[in-house]
Every structure is written in C-alpha cells, then in structure tokens.
C-alpha cells in the first residue's frame, strides 16, 4: 500500500487509486469507476465492483470520532435493520466487522440505495415519516449510547460561541455578537434546565431531507454519522416549515404516525426553538472548524463575509425573540 504524500489536507490523499485499494483490501475487485458523492464532513465515493452492484465507501474525517463512537453508530444501524426498519446499514465482513482501516483512515462500506428527497409539504409524507421515527425512537430508547456525546449547551452552544467570537466574528460586529450570544446562552440555559426532566434517547440527530431517500412511496434513512443522545423532538422539528399554523398542522400529522409506535412527551415541544438555536450556532462553528479543508471555502464561499455576519446577527435576534414565545401546540 502506498499512501500519497500530501502537504495539504489529509483528505487530499484520497485519490481514485487509494480509494480502490482500500475497497480491494476487503476482497472486492473494482472496475475502475470511482465517483465522488456530495459530502463534506467525511468523504464518500461510489465505487464500481466487477460483476456486482456498486458500493458506497465512506472515509471518516480523521480525529472526529474514535472507533468506539463509530462502532455505536454502526451498532444502532444494525439494531434498527434487525427490526426491519428501512435504514442503510454498513456492510459486514464474514467476521462481522463493519469498520475498517486503511492507511490513516477509518472507513466503511454501504450498499447503494437510490431515491429522492421527501416532500415535507405533503402531510401524507409527514405521517409516514412520523410513523418511521416512532419505530426508530422506540428502539433508540431501549438503551443508551456509552461513547457518543449528547446534543448539549456546552458543546453546541458555549464552545461554538467561544470559537466564533475569538477567531471569526469581524471586529465591526464583535460587540453586537457577544452581547446577543450572551443573551441567547442565558435563555437557552434556562429553557434546557426546565426541559431536563425530558427523556434523552438515541436519535438520528440530523433529520434533514438529504438524509432520507424516498422511493416507491416510502422513505429510508441514511447517514447516522450525527447520531447522538437528545430528546426525541430533535428528530421531529426539522420536518416543520412555514408559519405557526402550518407547523402545528404538520406536527399533528407527524405525531399521529409517531404515536402508533412510540409515546411522545408533549413537554418536549418547548425544546424546539432551543434546539433550533443550538443548531444554528453549531452549524456556523462547524464551518469555522472545517475552514482549513479546501472543500469548505469552495462550497460555502459566503461564510465569514461581512454580509454573512450581518445576516447571522439578524437571524439570531429573531431566534432570541422565538425563545420567548409560547411553544407549538397540537391543534385540537
């Protein structure tokens, strides 16, 4: 095995030859077709296999997750698949291993699954997604993650604000940013403390449309890379859109399906806006943490511009107001 020398980012070593060598180290024979797929946190490729269907190979970002944490991601997927839930679980070798190492990288193989993003505006689709999430959460509540972290105020909130304040917020906006985020963190601490009695379970953690593939009238979930411990509502709020009345209609349809397989604690509804705020802060900090990866400036050229920070402050002010509002309620 020859690891390409690189003076840039570690992912620069992932040449087509390296990718195929990694796959062939597990006994497959590649047909020299390697297609890079849309992924930023990790690197994901479709690799052609001689006389068989293509495989998806995922190279994990170095130093993000350790083997035990990745192992819990895989174990959660296998547990869901064993209950016949439509999730794309990793491939396992005859010894039952699903996480492999090649050169400096940890990687896994997945079967290729086709489909398109679901239409969240369709209430029937939301009912189906709610039913599926209810099944996932019924299993996710059965045991705890031991190694994967939780979605919490410290990491998602305080650490994100500190990183951005110190290294990325322009001087022209720093005073406004620090005052605003100070108010946000205080409001979040109070709300999350009040929600501390809600149950935290294993969740998918990143239920945006790109992580669900819809085919033949049904979804299947992909990419459990962000699976963490969190309230169940973490996997529901990202399905909501539109004005308050529309979101309440959507929520009712989601929970109608959800309740077929799992109970839902309505007290978690007051956590929707705090979780949304934490995601906003964490997403900006994620871009900041990855700015030395050449793929990020190319994909997100607007980040770290004066316009971005001006708009970010406006959005966070709106979130501060949203934190003071009454939570969503189910329509009777």
């Amino acid at each position: 095995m020859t690891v390409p020398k690189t003076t840039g980012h570690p992912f620069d070593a992932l040449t087509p030859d390296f990718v195929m060598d990694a796959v062939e180290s597990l006994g497959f024979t590649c047909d020299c077709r390697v297609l890079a797929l849309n992924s930023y946190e990790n690197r994901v490729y479709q690799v052609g296999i001689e006389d068989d269907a293509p495989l998806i190979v995922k190279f994990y970002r170095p130093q993000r997750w350790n083997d035990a944490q990745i192992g819990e991601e895989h174990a959660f997927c296998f547990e869901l698949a064993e209950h016949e839930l439509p999730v794309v679980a990793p491939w396992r070798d005859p010894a039952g291993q699903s996480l492999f190492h090649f050169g400096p990288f940890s990687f896994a193989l997945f079967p290729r699954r086709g489909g398109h993003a679901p239409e969240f505006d369709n209430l029937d689709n939301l009912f189906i997604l709610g039913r599926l999430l209810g099944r996932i959460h019924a299993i996710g509540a059965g045991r705890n993650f031991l190694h994967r972290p939780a979605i919490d105020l410290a990491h998602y909130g305080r650490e994100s604000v500190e990183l951005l304040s110190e290294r990325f917020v322009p001087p022209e906006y720093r005073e406004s940013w620090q005052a605003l985020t100070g108010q946000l963190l205080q409001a979040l601490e109070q709300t999350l403390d009040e929600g501390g009695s809600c149950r935290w379970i294993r969740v998918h953690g990143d239920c945006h449309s790109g992580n669900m593939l819809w085919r033949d009238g049904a979804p299947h979930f992909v990419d459990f890379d962000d699976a963490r411990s969190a309230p169940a509502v973490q996997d529901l709020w990202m399905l909501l859109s539109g004005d308050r009345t529309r979101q309440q209609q959507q929520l009712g349809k989601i929970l109608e399906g959800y309740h077929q397989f799992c109970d839902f604690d309505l007290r978690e509804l007051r956590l929707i806006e705090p979780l949304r705020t934490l995601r906003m802060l964490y997403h900006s900090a994620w871009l900041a943490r990855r700015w030395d990866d050449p793929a990020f400036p190319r994909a997100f050229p607007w980040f770290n511009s004066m316009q971005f920070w001006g708009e970010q402050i406006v959005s966070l002010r709106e979130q501060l107001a949203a934190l003071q509002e009454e939570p969503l309620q189910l329509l009777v």
Side-chain angles (χ1 to χ4, degrees):
M1 176 191 65
T2 300
V3 179
K5 294 182 179 180
T6 175
T7 57
H9 193 272
F11 280 144
D12 291 346
L14 295 175
T15 64
D17 284 343
F18 184 92
V19 171
M20 289 189 291
D21 286 346
V23 174
E24 291 189 339
S25 72
L26 300 179
F28 296 96
T29 301
C30 300
D31 65 7
C32 295
R33 293 178 297 166
V34 178
L35 175 65
L37 302 181
N38 188 29
S39 179
Y40 299 106
E41 181 62 14
N42 305 295
R43 292 296 188 269
V44 182
Y45 302 87
Q46 178 178 294
V47 178
I49 304 298
E50 285 192 5
D51 302 320
D52 209 339
L55 290 171
I56 304 301
V57 55
K58 172 181 177 180
F59 291 91
Y60 288 88
R61 180 174 291 271
Q63 300 181 343
R64 181 181 181 229
W65 296 126
N66 60 39
D67 284 4
Q69 291 168 327
I70 297 173
E72 285 194 320
E73 171 202 340
H74 291 191
F76 190 24
C77 289
F78 294 138
E79 188 177 358
L80 296 173
E82 287 165 3
H83 285 81
E84 300 183 347
L85 271 74
V87 300
V88 180
W91 173 83
R92 286 186 277 195
D93 68 11
Q97 296 298 310
S98 60
L99 179 64
F100 309 98
H101 301 87
F102 193 79
F105 296 102
S106 301
F107 75 100
L109 299 179
F110 296 81
R112 184 181 65 171
R113 292 287 185 270
H116 58 84
E119 297 177 2
F120 289 167
D121 286 340
N122 186 317
L123 293 180
D124 291 335
N125 288 353
L126 292 180
F127 173 82
I128 293 171
L129 287 169
R131 190 168 56 189
L132 176 53
L133 285 168
R135 295 178 67 194
I136 291 174
H137 289 175
I139 295 166
R143 65 184 70 179
N144 297 323
F145 283 137
L146 299 179
H147 304 285
R148 295 183 77 86
I151 295 177
D152 60 13
L153 180 61
H155 182 49
Y156 271 61
R158 294 194 184 98
E159 290 180 15
S160 297
V161 168
E162 181 178 0
L163 170 66
L164 295 168
S165 297
E166 290 181 353
R167 295 173 48 192
F168 287 88
V169 178
E172 295 87 342
Y173 285 123
R174 189 166 296 141
E175 184 176 352
S176 296
W177 164 270
Q178 290 176 340
L180 174 58
T181 53
Q183 291 177 287
L184 279 170
L185 291 176
Q186 184 177 8
L188 287 170
E189 182 174 15
Q190 179 180 347
T191 309
L192 292 172
D193 282 348
E194 292 172 355
S197 59
C198 296
R199 188 177 185 185
W200 291 57
I201 64 173
R202 295 177 297 169
V203 300
H204 180 280
D206 194 22
C207 286
H208 63 76
S209 60
N211 284 336
M212 308 170 203
L213 295 177
W214 202 273
R215 187 173 184 177
D216 299 327
H220 53 268
F221 274 75
V222 300
D223 194 3
F224 280 72
D225 191 66
D226 283 301
R228 293 176 182 254
S229 299
V233 74
Q234 168 64 23
D235 282 350
L236 306 185
W237 71 262
M238 291 184 68
L239 308 180
L240 307 176
S241 61
D243 61 23
R244 182 180 180 88
T245 300
R246 182 60 176 169
Q247 288 189 43
Q248 291 181 147
Q249 293 171 340
Q250 294 167 342
L251 179 64
K253 187 58 69 172
I254 292 167
L255 290 180
E256 182 183 345
Y258 190 95
H259 283 145
Q260 292 187 1
F261 295 95
C262 193
D263 292 332
F264 180 79
D265 185 348
L266 292 176
R267 293 177 300 172
E268 292 190 19
L269 295 180
R270 62 187 172 184
L271 299 179
I272 290 177
E273 292 306 328
L275 290 169
R276 192 194 309 276
T277 307
L278 286 177
R279 183 178 177 85
M280 292 172 64
L281 294 171
Y282 184 76
H283 184 263
S284 294
W286 172 67
L287 293 174
R289 291 186 180 99
R290 303 295 182 247
W291 206 239
D292 63 341
D293 182 339
F296 278 70
R298 290 196 301 267
F300 309 100
W302 39 262
F303 175 69
N304 214 28
S305 65
M306 290 293 290
Q307 180 179 351
F308 168 79
W309 288 109
E311 293 174 349
Q312 184 77 346
I313 287 174
V314 170
S315 296
L316 290 176
R317 283 177 177 154
E318 292 173 352
Q319 276 307 113
L320 183 60
L323 290 172
Q324 315 305 319
E325 296 178 358
E326 288 295 316
L328 290 179
Q329 301 291 331
L330 290 180
L331 295 177
V332 179

